[in-house]
Amino acid sequence: MKSAKCETVWSKLKKWFALNSSKSVFKIVFIILAILILISIIKLVILIVPNSTVNQFINKPNSTRFYDRNGELLYVLPLDEGLRREFVPLKEIPKSVQQAFIEEEDKNFYVHGGVDYFSILRAFRQNKKAGRIVSGASTITMQLARIIWPRDSFNVGIKQKINEVILAKYLEIKFSKQKILELYLNNIPFGFQIEGVSSAARSFFCQELSSLGDDELKILAKIPRRPKDYAPPKKFEYPNICPHFVRYVINEYAKNELKLPDKIELSINSELNELASVQIQQKIADYRNARINNGSCFAIDNRTGEIIVYVGNGDFYNIHGGQIDGVQVKNQPGSSMKPFLYALSIESGFEPSTVLPDIPMDFGSSKVYVPLNFNNKYNGPVRMRVALASSLNVPAVYLLYHVSVNRYLEKLQELNFESLENQRENIGLSIALGSSEVTLQEMVRAFSVFTGDGTIPELTFAKRAKNAERSNQIFKKDTCRILCDILSDNSSRTLGFGNPKVFETSYPAIFKTGTSNQHQDIIALGSTTDYTVGCWLGNFEGQTVRRQTGSSIPAVVVRELLDELSRIKTPQKFLQPDDYEKKEICSLSGKKPTNNCPSVVKEFVRKKTDQDSKSQHECNFHYFDGTKVALHYPSEYQHWATSKNMHGTFENQNQNLELIYPKDGAVFVYDNSIPKGTQTIAIEAVGDLENTSLIYDGVEFPSSGNRLVWYVPLEKGIHRIKVVCKNQEDSAIIVVK
């Protein structure tokens, strides 16, 4: 019985222990699971919930590194108070650099979870034995925590360490080991206004990170401990290459409210930029007595839109406004604007063979405008090709008068001349001669339309691997191909410029030059199928450039750059227009030559189809009078021809009556310094020579002589002019102030 009772008690005890043991295990398991779930929740919260301090640290600005298209460092943008901190992704930081800092600061970096407890114990023993701090136990993660949350915000002593441990654990949860190392290496302070290993390598050793040797790496890894003790003397001067261009890029980012990246590969070719800068400085030195103190140069790749050369001023440190960016300064381009007008004229009905009047004439309006050629000479009838290539002024104004200022401005707007927007109210016929102010950048981009078959590229300051998007067709392809043929024709420049060697290239190229109306700006443009270059010379004070023309000085800079660019990429030949062919024409009339024409040249003439009933008109300037070849000028040339004592007849008989001069609305100014009664105005008309008369303020003047011209007294007031011939009449009202 006793034995059975004992067994019963024993079984009850076993059951009780078994029951309580399972409950304990359950409790332990429950506690462990709860802890794990809590840890997971904490980790999840840390990963999901943003930390403003950490985000601000990660997104703080870094020093942008600017490189040219060939990888040369141009500039490292300093931060506040001259601090330089360059960010480099961990994958671009050499393994040798990473390992050097891990060996020096935290050998167990990839093993511990942010805190190295063995190092803490070791440091505690060493410091206790020495009686002072001789060893630290901060991991790379703890050091990063101190950089993000500086120690000034911590309590002193043990609480400070506890905070660092907690924050280190936080960072280990928040980021991967690779990210922690990347943040540490890019933000570790080296003293001397330097943060991050890239800026340190550049400042102390004048090298990129990838070029550091083992000895240099050992020194670099020790510097953060005590910069004054371990840092070698600083000997690196940060570069400042292509300064105007770098400023332009920075301003473009600011204008578009974009954050500067850590690294930019720019489109600029720093070697060509330096060549242009040296050339400009040489021209300034050579022509300083001519008041040339400043110069700028701008060049683009026509296909990609990349900016290849950007010299805002030949010398950035020049006392005469060296830091002013001449590429963006608005100046009068002078005659370099004329090709755009001629292109519009061709598309408005004028033919390449058209003969234009280069004679004294005014264009009456609310303000009378009388254009003059730069040498005050006139050449009579001039073919369009010669008028453009020789940059004659009167033919340009004549064309604009016929195509209208508004149409021309609309075309210039298509060419992206944004500078003209605020000048429209003050723009008149003088814009034919480039009197309105535009930038060199606008001029170069627009000039590329001719070698670009009628389109212009979207410009970019970044290196681009493919061709740029181009604007819609601004001019027809044929128009631009005709303009390229004219602007590359050296023989047609002879009338205006003689035979300048600067335009004689071994490759196909077009050129145009210009001088502002007050001679304070001289400009040259040049273009091949691949590149377009522009150069401006003058002074930012607005002083007149003495005794210099637009074709002489800046054209040398443009030519030198095009020579270099042609070695990089061989220019192609200019294409011929599809709907035109070159045919012989009379060099004076521009029409189909006859046996009486003494001089014949070839010019583009529109191809005729079988359905086109038109034929090329024969020359009516030259005729045989029975004994010799004589000249028969159109009526508009009679004043010019007579003033030069030239022989010839004029188209007056059987011609519609027209008052040629002055035009309706013309305004004249009475000169009080000239004796009263001696000032006259010439009134000129074309029509029937025998039957035409003038009625001036009600007084009739009959025709006389061999042309319809009358001289009447110039008196202040409003005057009414009428020419009458049988049943025809033409009239005008003029004002004399």
Side-chain angles (χ1 to χ4, degrees), residues 460-480:
T460 178
F461 52 73
K463 188 176 180 181
R464 181 180 274 164
K466 58 181 181 180
N467 290 350
E469 293 183 6
R470 304 185 73 85
S471 63
N472 295 328
Q473 203 75 30
I474 299 172
F475 290 119
K476 296 176 182 177
K477 290 182 179 180
D478 276 6
T479 301
C480 293

Side-chain angles (χ1 to χ4, degrees), residues 144-177:
L144 178 60
R146 284 203 299 270
I147 297 172
I148 298 175
W149 295 276
R151 277 182 170 177
D152 290 344
S153 64
F154 296 148
N155 295 322
V156 179
I158 189 67
K159 289 184 178 181
Q160 170 187 306
K161 281 294 181 184
I162 292 173
N163 276 329
E164 287 184 12
V165 168
I166 294 171
L167 292 171
K169 287 293 184 181
Y170 173 86
L171 293 176
E172 289 280 340
I173 295 171
K174 187 77 173 176
F175 301 113
S176 66
K177 286 287 187 180

Side-chain angles (χ1 to χ4, degrees), residues 241-309:
I241 304 171
C242 307
H244 291 101
F245 181 59
V246 171
R247 280 189 177 184
Y248 165 76
V249 173
I250 293 172
N251 290 337
E252 285 295 298
Y253 271 92
K255 185 171 68 176
N256 294 292
E257 298 182 348
L258 297 173
K259 180 184 176 182
L260 279 165
D262 300 318
K263 177 182 178 181
I264 307 179
E265 292 183 355
L266 299 173
S267 58
I268 205 82
N269 185 318
S270 59
E271 290 186 6
L272 287 177
N273 213 73
E274 177 64 16
L275 173 64
S277 180
V278 169
Q279 283 280 332
I280 290 172
Q281 290 182 57
Q282 185 62 54
K283 296 297 173 285
I284 290 173
D286 292 343
Y287 296 95
R288 192 169 299 280
N289 291 335
R291 295 199 188 114
I292 295 178
N293 297 324
N294 307 103
S296 55
C297 188
F298 185 73
I300 64 171
D301 185 311
N302 297 337
R303 290 185 168 84
T304 64
E306 293 172 314
I307 298 171
I308 303 298
V309 172

Side-chain angles (χ1 to χ4, degrees), residues 651-682:
E651 294 178 3
N652 280 316
Q653 300 295 334
N654 303 319
Q655 183 174 348
N656 290 333
L657 181 67
E658 181 184 356
L659 179 61
I660 294 178
Y661 182 86
K663 296 294 186 181
D664 187 44
V667 179
F668 296 86
V669 178
Y670 187 86
D671 190 346
N672 291 309
S673 65
I674 298 177
K676 189 175 182 180
T678 61
Q679 295 184 65
T680 60
I681 179 174

